[in-house]
Amino acid sequence: MSTFWAGRIVQLRKAGEPIVPVWNGFPRDISGFGILAKAPHPNAAKAFIDYFFSDEAAQSVLDLSQDINYDPPNKKSLELPSKVNPADRATYPANWNAMLSMDVQVLKGQRTEIEKAWQEWIAK
């Protein structure tokens, strides 16, 4: 038993590993794009994000999402035919509804404790 990034499960299966995901109780982890306040090239970063979400990039984004097994963030990509079994994705309704939602407010209150534990752990 181990924890995995959801996209890694399909890659391991393709490599012949006998792995079965268990979504029940797995924490939901949603991510997105961001640009650092002091990024050296913020306009280039904005241009990349604009392109990534454009209709022009929809097929490329879909191809990438199929390779890494994460849903494409480009809505136009979702309209294109996909070769991925939706039940293998974290966002498949049965999988998504079985996962735990993070309580951000509780985590904010535990930030100092979590950071201290993390620093102690990585120092070992």
Side-chain angles (χ1 to χ4, degrees):
M1 181 177 79
S2 184
T3 57
F4 292 91
W5 296 108
R8 183 74 176 120
I9 293 168
V10 171
Q11 296 301 320
L12 289 168
R13 280 185 178 164
K14 286 179 182 177
E17 296 296 331
I19 186 167
V20 177
V22 177
W23 300 102
N24 189 27
F26 195 82
R28 288 183 193 149
D29 183 16
I30 302 169
S31 61
F33 288 109
I35 301 171
L36 298 174
K38 295 184 179 185
H41 305 287
N43 291 334
K46 289 175 189 172
F48 167 78
I49 292 170
D50 287 345
Y51 172 75
F52 197 82
F53 289 97
S54 71
D55 290 353
E56 178 185 359
Q59 185 63 56
S60 295
V61 171
L62 176 64
D63 294 343
L64 172 64
S65 78
Q66 292 176 143
D67 287 342
I68 62 175
N69 197 45
Y70 291 104
D71 287 309
N74 182 320
K75 289 182 181 181
K76 183 71 173 178
S77 299
L78 294 170
E79 298 170 11
L80 301 173
S82 174
K83 62 183 178 185
V84 172
N85 177 1
D88 286 337
R89 297 256 170 115
T91 54
Y92 186 68
N95 300 340
W96 187 257
N97 293 330
M99 289 190 277
L100 296 175
S101 181
M102 301 277 200
D103 188 332
V104 176
Q105 293 307 314
V106 169
L107 290 173
K108 280 182 183 179
Q110 298 171 338
R111 182 177 179 167
T112 302
E113 179 184 341
I114 292 169
E115 286 178 359
K116 181 179 181 232
W118 171 251
Q119 291 301 326
E120 289 172 0
W121 183 76
I122 63 171
K124 292 181 180 182

